[in-house]
């Protein structure tokens, strides 16, 4: 039986929050990562491309920025801090497969979802080792795409301001290794609609799907 990995139960945590800055034409989403989180270039490219593919919302611009090097003059409508834990390298020496644990976390405080999400690379590489029944190679690209699926799930919680999970798609409460590493997949229209409604964007029925 392929184990499912728990994703994203929000945890209560007293934390800082970021205030939305002045609005600009179009909806600018800033994803801020720490300077110390130097990920391999091919992994970063795959992470960013897959994140954009998973969130095909017209009018939503996704901008990745270095948290510490960010210009104070640049403005965003929504800001989310993204942190990565564990080694994000596909070439990390294999260790014992970890017990299934959270792949990602969205923080909440006093019942309010905060724009502060985390993804666990160690759990991702452990999940990849459980994917044995199909031809699969863990490399920068596949790890970057899997990381994007965890990050996109957490972004869904923040942008929709909802802790809701669905039975299908990327908004499920738990993802299998196949969900994470095999090609295709994405959010169901209902989940994208929650984001669109919250952000006053066109509904998912008007979206052109980019999912294979
Ligand atoms: Zn979740």
């Amino acid at each position: 039986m392929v184990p499912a990995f728990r994703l994203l139960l929000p945890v209560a945590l007293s934390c800082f929050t970021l205030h939305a800055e002045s609005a600009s034409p179009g909806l600018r989403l800033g994803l801020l990562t720490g300077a110390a989180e130097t990920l391999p270039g091919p992994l970063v490219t795959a992470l960013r491309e897959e994140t954009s593919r998973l969130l095909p919302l017209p009018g939503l611009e996704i901008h990745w920025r270095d948290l510490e090097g960010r210009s104070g003059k640049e403005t965003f409508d929504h800001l989310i801090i993204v942190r990565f834990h564990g080694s994000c390298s596909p070439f990390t020496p294999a260790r014992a497969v970890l017990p299934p644990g959270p792949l990602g976390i969205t923080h909440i405080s006093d019942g309010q979802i905060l724009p502060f999400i985390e993804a666990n690379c160690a759990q991702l590489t452990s999940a990849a080792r459980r994917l044995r029944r199909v031809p699969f190679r863990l490399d920068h690209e596949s790890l970057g795409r899997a990381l994007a699926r965890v990050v996109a799930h957490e972004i869904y919680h923040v942008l929709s301001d909802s802790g809701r999970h669905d039975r299908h798609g990327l908004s499920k409460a738990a993802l299998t290794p196949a969900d994470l590493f095999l090609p295709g997949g994405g959010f169901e229209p209902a989940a994208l609609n929650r984001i669109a409604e919250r952000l006053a964007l066109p509904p998912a029925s008007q979206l052109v799907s980019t999912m294979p």
Side-chain angles (χ1 to χ4, degrees):
M1 177 177 176
V2 178
F5 287 76
R6 193 160 57 90
L7 243 183
L8 347 172
L9 284 182
V11 296
L13 182 71
S14 294
C15 191
F16 60 92
T17 184
L18 287 170
H19 299 285
E21 299 177 359
S22 60
S24 60
L27 210 58
R28 289 170 57 84
L29 169 63
L31 300 178
L32 309 181
T33 59
E37 294 161 339
T38 51
L39 304 178
L43 187 150
V44 170
T45 298
L47 164 66
R48 294 181 178 185
E49 290 180 353
E50 181 75 350
T51 301
S52 293
R53 184 187 76 82
L54 294 168
L55 296 166
L57 295 162
L60 181 66
E61 304 171 9
I62 299 176
H63 302 272
W64 293 82
R65 293 290 185 270
D66 185 317
L67 177 61
E68 296 171 20
R70 175 177 157 249
S71 166
K73 296 179 180 178
E74 192 174 26
T75 62
F76 297 94
D77 299 285
H78 298 273
L79 287 170
I80 299 176
I81 291 181
V82 184
R83 299 301 305 266
F84 304 112
H85 296 285
S87 173
C88 291
S89 169
F91 309 118
T92 301
R95 296 179 297 178
V97 174
L98 299 174
L103 293 164
I105 291 173
T106 301
H107 289 275
I108 63 172
S109 179
D110 295 330
Q112 185 167 5
I113 295 177
L114 303 180
F116 183 23
I117 66 180
E118 301 180 41
N120 192 315
C121 285
Q123 281 291 346
L124 270 178
T125 53
S126 178
R129 295 186 187 108
R130 298 174 186 270
L131 191 62
R132 302 190 182 103
R133 290 186 293 180
V134 296
F136 170 74
R137 180 170 177 266
L138 182 63
D139 54 19
H140 284 126
E141 287 75 18
S142 60
L143 184 57
R145 287 193 297 270
L147 191 56
R149 294 174 190 186
V150 176
V151 169
H153 179 108
E154 306 301 345
I155 291 174
Y156 152 76
H157 282 308
V158 174
L159 292 186
S160 67
D161 194 27
S162 168
R164 179 171 173 174
H165 291 113
D166 295 301
R167 293 174 60 89
H168 304 286
L170 204 57
S171 53
K172 292 191 299 185
L175 298 179
T176 66
D179 292 327
L180 292 164
F181 290 100
L182 297 189
F187 289 104
E188 293 288 298
L192 291 174
N193 266 335
R194 287 181 207 119
I195 299 175
E197 183 175 346
R198 181 73 182 174
L199 302 183
L201 294 171
S205 59
Q206 297 179 23
L207 301 178
V208 177
S209 175
T210 58
M211 299 173 191

